[in-house]
Amino acid sequence: MDIVQQLKEAFGNLTAAKLRTLLAILGILIGVASVVAMVTCGEMATQKALDQFKTLGTNLMSATFYSSSGATTDANKFTLKDAYNLKQEIPSIKLLAPYTTTFSAINYQGKKVNGSTIGATENLQKILHLHILQGRFISNLDNYEPYAVIGANVYKTIQKTGVTDAVGKQIQVGSTIFTIIGVAKPWPESQFFNQSINNSVIVPIKTSFVLSKYTSINNMVMAMEKNYDIDKATTKIKSYIQKSRKGAQAYVRSAKKLIASMESQNEIYTLLLGLIGGISLLVGGIGVMNIMLVSVSERRKEIGIRMAIGARRRDIQLLFITEAMILALFGGTMGVIIGIGTALAIAYFANWDFHIFWLPPFIGFAVSAATGIFFGFYPAYRASQLDPIQTLRSD
Amino acid sequence: MSVIKLDKIRKSYFPGDMEFQVLKGLDIDIKEGEMVAIMGPSGSGKTTLMNILGLLDRPTDGRYYLSTREISTLDDDELASVRGRMIGFVFQSFYLLSKLNALQNVMLPLRYQSTPLNEAKERALKMLDRVGMGEHTTHKPTELSGGQQQRVAIARALVTKPSVILADEPTGALDTKTGKEIMDLFLELNRDEGKTVVIITHDPRIGAQCKRIIHIEDGEILKIEYNK
């Protein structure tokens, strides 16, 4: 029997039982759509998480200092000089920026501003790829000057008072009055830098020491040379810090390792989502099987007639397999479309960049075809094994 | 030449430990171009005989030659193809596929023989014309009267040029007048085109129109009657 006739006939049989066909298609459709939507969302979330490194680059490392005794004393304090020496010691460090963080009340014209204070050197701008909207960034020549660069959100708060040009305006941190010398453009949040630049007032690092006696360098970020050895650099940094300051420890992270662990986490996450979708596809497949079985038992007489006029067992089998395949492929195609649509909607509401990943639709489609064959096979086989005499006699 | 030759055909069923003999060693010989009625009361085994003649069932014992070919060695698929090519069934309640129109119903056996579509269509149209249904090729069975449906069914049985037409109570579901028309069609096919026709019936008026009547009772041939 030729394929075109076979398909035509299968279509005819399917449209003859519209509600049943619709239900079977719906089962597959929901299954495939959920696989496609969930896996696509998983991939988009991964992309979103990795996007932060697009601006920063991947040759980044960071170190957080802490003292093994718990208290930071003058003896184990990491200093600017230590930072300078560290860079001399380890040639794979291209740029190095130690920074301090202080939590003092920030006020602008008597209005409270939410945020923290970062004491930084001029390298911080280069390493974090900070862009300046107005004025300039901190320079190493600023020394102890009461100058401040404000983050995007701080600038927003100031704007509410009717100011557009913030440079030259004064902002109070703790009890010290600072002159704003620059405004930073919005900076994408990154897991790699502990502070939110957007909510910060950035001052010269030496000035930050003066703000509070508790201020110390507790973090640094480093831009590394290309093709640096992560493990070697990590060990070197750790041992240098332990050697230079008694009782000092450092927690060192590298962007590459962070990305790798994020990727593997997201892979598991995506896999789980796919699995959940897969379960609904399985349920859909069982639905197809159920409906095909009903169809076989309802069409016993037809099967008998076909056998009487010369249909072989495999002709009968093909008849039902074709119908199951059409159900599955149609449901699969619709499912892929609706799945991508759902992912688009989720991306829109979650503020993710929408991408079409080719793998999930492809998998969804292939799996739906396989579902059709797998779950269509048993009912078709049952149909083909019927006894022509029995089926002819049935009503 | 014999189209059908049964040699000591037995058919038994085994409900539980008992043996229940439906056919008890039948010898039947039907020649090409013959018109034969197989008659018997219900329970005589004539339906079982028809199933065996039509290759829908296998005998428990004995040999069945269909156009000299011994069929007991054939597997299910071969049996289906031989059935499709050599047997033309006509049933009491027509058994047309309700989703297909008259033409598609008649084409169906040819499609199982992988006849090219154009040729199948041409042959089916010709056959519908032959049985007087040329005007109703696109009608679905539900849109046709009983007599018309049976004509389509006869066209379907004839379209494969079978060696024998097996008709199981072909007029049983029809009124007397329509039944007579269908019977006339069989007689005409037999007389003008030399078709071999075997009619299974319990109606003596049908039997009387055939040249030979084989009476069956309790799985055995009771008597053979010849009409002029």
Side-chain angles (χ1 to χ4, degrees):
Chain A
M1 221 184 219
D2 58 310
I3 294 166
V4 180
Q5 288 301 308
Q6 187 78 40
L7 288 176
K8 258 192 193 169
E9 193 164 335
F11 268 116
N13 289 330
L14 289 173
T15 46
K18 284 192 186 62
L19 181 65
R20 192 194 295 163
T21 301
L22 194 75
L23 288 174
I25 286 175
L26 209 60
I28 290 287
L29 184 152
I30 291 170
V32 172
S34 58
V35 168
V36 171
M38 284 188 168
V39 175
T40 303
C41 283
E43 298 274 344
M44 284 192 299
T46 310
Q47 283 288 320
K48 171 78 178 172
L50 294 179
D51 268 354
Q52 52 185 300
F53 294 101
K54 252 189 212 159
T55 41
L56 294 182
T58 54
N59 291 332
L60 272 184
M61 288 187 84
S62 78
T64 303
F65 307 118
Y66 60 96
S67 95
S68 42
S69 62
T72 310
T73 61
D74 281 344
N76 60 23
K77 237 182 202 175
F78 195 74
T79 64
L80 278 175
K81 188 148 177 49
D82 290 329
Y84 178 77
N85 288 341
L86 177 69
K87 166 133 179 36
Q88 300 302 312
E89 193 87 359
I90 305 168
S92 60
I93 300 175
K94 194 164 82 182
L95 287 171
L96 179 148
Y99 61 95
T100 67
T101 44
T102 317
F103 302 95
S104 313
I106 302 169
N107 286 289
Y108 180 79
Q109 290 183 353
K111 273 186 82 175
K112 196 175 174 297
V113 177
N114 288 325
S116 54
T117 310
I118 297 172
T121 61
E122 63 181 33
N123 276 350
L124 191 73
Q125 184 193 10
K126 294 174 195 153
I127 295 171
L128 296 184
H129 299 269
L130 278 176
H131 296 284
I132 295 298
L133 185 71
Q134 294 173 4
R136 64 171 175 87
F137 194 69
I138 301 294
S139 151
N140 285 351
L141 298 173
D142 289 338
N143 277 317
Y144 293 97
E145 294 290 347
Y147 289 161
V149 175
I150 56 173
N153 291 344
V154 177
Y155 177 58
K156 258 187 212 159
T157 315
I158 288 175
Q159 269 182 315
K160 280 181 195 152
T161 64
V163 174
T164 44
D165 187 4
V167 175
K169 300 287 184 298
Q170 298 199 315
I171 191 164
Q172 188 182 350
V173 176
S175 55
T176 316
I177 305 289
F178 284 81
T179 304
I180 296 170
I181 56 163
V183 177
K185 281 188 181 169
W187 189 74
E189 299 290 311
S190 168
Q191 291 183 29
F192 208 68
F193 190 73
N194 293 336
Q195 297 302 311
S196 160
I197 296 280
N198 296 337
N199 288 321
S200 290
V201 172
I202 304 163
V203 303
I205 194 162
K206 285 179 182 169
T207 311
S208 77
F209 293 137
V210 185
L211 271 177
S212 158
K213 64 173 178 168
Y214 300 112
T215 303
S216 66
I217 298 172
N218 37 23
N219 285 290
M220 66 179 183
V221 283
M222 292 157 277
M224 309 302 285
E225 296 289 352
K226 265 182 196 153
N227 305 322
Y228 71 103
D229 184 322
I230 300 169
D231 293 326
K232 235 186 223 169
T234 306
T235 331
K236 269 188 179 171
I237 293 166
K238 275 188 175 171
S239 68
Y240 177 82
I241 287 160
Q242 281 164 357
K243 194 175 68 193
S244 60
R245 295 282 153 179
K246 210 174 175 192
Q249 299 281 342
Y251 172 58
V252 181
R253 295 195 300 169
S254 82
K256 276 183 182 160
K257 281 213 163 153
L258 195 69
I259 291 169
S261 81
M262 269 166 52
E263 273 177 342
S264 71
Q265 262 182 34
N266 278 308
E267 235 165 64
I268 295 170
Y269 177 61
T270 305
L271 195 73
L272 278 174
L273 285 177
L275 216 65
I276 294 169
I279 290 169
S280 54
L281 189 58
L282 183 76
V283 173
I286 292 170
V288 167
M289 178 138 110
N290 196 0
I291 277 163
M292 291 309 294
L293 282 173
V294 170
S295 171
V296 168
S297 67
E298 263 189 15
R299 286 157 66 189
R300 284 166 65 89
K301 168 101 21 90
E302 177 191 334
I303 294 165
I305 295 169
R306 286 176 187 273
M307 282 176 165
I309 61 172
R312 290 158 300 183
R313 298 211 182 277
R314 61 166 174 269
D315 291 322
I316 301 295
Q317 201 163 351
L318 196 63
L319 179 75
F320 285 94
I321 285 265
T322 310
E323 287 177 26
M325 283 291 289
I326 290 173
L327 287 180
L329 286 182
F330 188 71
T333 312
M334 296 296 290
V336 166
I337 294 167
I338 290 174
I340 290 175
T342 309
L344 181 68
I346 291 172
Y348 177 76
F349 288 113
N351 236 340
W352 292 337
D353 289 335
F354 179 68
H355 299 280
I356 289 187
F357 297 91
W358 293 110
L359 197 63
F362 178 76
I363 289 176
F365 196 74
V367 169
S368 72
T371 306
I373 296 172
F374 184 78
F375 289 103
F377 184 83
Y378 176 68
Y381 176 77
R382 280 253 301 235
S384 74
Q385 294 306 308
L386 290 172
D387 176 12
I389 300 170
Q390 302 265 327
T391 49
L392 275 176
R393 213 177 285 154
S394 63
D395 282 305
Chain B
M1 202 191 99
S2 295
V3 176
I4 288 172
K5 190 169 159 56
L6 299 187
D7 182 12
K8 295 191 182 63
I9 289 292
R10 287 175 192 283
K11 180 72 186 179
S12 300
Y13 291 103
F14 301 90
D17 293 335
M18 312 245 295
E19 185 186 354
F20 180 63
Q21 283 199 12
V22 185
L23 300 177
K24 299 169 182 168
L26 293 182
D27 294 311
I28 293 174
D29 195 338
I30 295 170
K31 298 267 188 293
E32 202 178 325
E34 255 197 295
M35 180 138 177
V36 180
I38 294 175
M39 285 188 66
S42 56
S44 62
K46 63 181 192 302
T47 303
T48 306
L49 178 60
M50 192 205 74
N51 287 338
I52 288 173
L53 288 177
L55 307 181
L56 290 170
D57 204 354
R58 292 170 189 272
T60 315
D61 197 18
R63 271 183 247 284
Y64 174 12
Y65 301 90
L66 181 62
S67 294
T68 71
R69 186 169 186 177
E70 219 273 290
I71 58 94
S72 63
T73 55
L74 302 178
D75 67 24
D76 282 357
D77 276 357
E78 288 169 324
L79 215 55
S81 338
V82 173
R83 179 164 64 228
R85 277 185 288 112
M86 299 174 75
I87 309 279
F89 277 107
V90 177
F91 297 98
Q92 178 173 6
S93 35
F94 329 129
Y95 288 170
L96 297 173
L97 295 190
S98 55
K99 285 169 219 150
L100 305 183
N101 66 28
L103 176 63
Q104 288 165 331
N105 263 294
V106 177
M107 282 168 70
L108 198 57
L110 293 176
R111 286 178 42 208
Y112 284 123
Q113 293 174 27
S114 303
T115 309
L117 196 63
N118 287 337
E119 189 196 328
K121 195 169 175 180
E122 201 178 304
R123 279 168 66 179
L125 283 172
K126 204 183 272 177
M127 209 46 78
L128 280 165
D129 213 29
R130 171 70 193 83
V131 299
M133 292 295 293
E135 307 280 297
H136 300 90
T137 56
T138 57
H139 288 89
K140 294 268 174 77
T142 46
E143 299 159 351
L144 299 171
S145 72
Q148 288 174 322
Q149 287 187 57
Q150 195 60 303
R151 282 171 189 274
V152 174
I154 292 168
R156 181 180 66 183
L158 288 171
V159 79
T160 57
K161 301 185 182 119
S163 312
V164 59
I165 292 174
L166 270 183
D168 182 14
E169 304 276 12
T171 60
L174 304 172
D175 59 63
T176 323
K177 183 171 165 281
T178 323
K180 191 182 173 305
E181 284 168 16
I182 292 297
M183 215 33 221
D184 287 345
L185 181 58
F186 279 120
L187 289 166
E188 202 182 299
L189 287 166
N190 174 255
R191 188 183 58 229
D192 298 349
E193 293 168 35
K195 298 281 178 208
T196 313
V197 180
V198 177
I199 297 177
I200 287 98
T201 185
H202 68 276
D203 184 349
R205 282 172 300 176
I206 300 293
Q209 297 179 61
C210 300
K211 292 191 188 83
R212 179 157 65 121
I213 307 170
I214 301 171
H215 290 274
I216 295 193
E217 215 167 296
D218 295 331
E220 287 171 313
I221 294 175
L222 190 68
K223 61 174 178 183
I224 297 177
E225 209 180 318
Y226 291 91
N227 294 323
K228 275 185 192 165

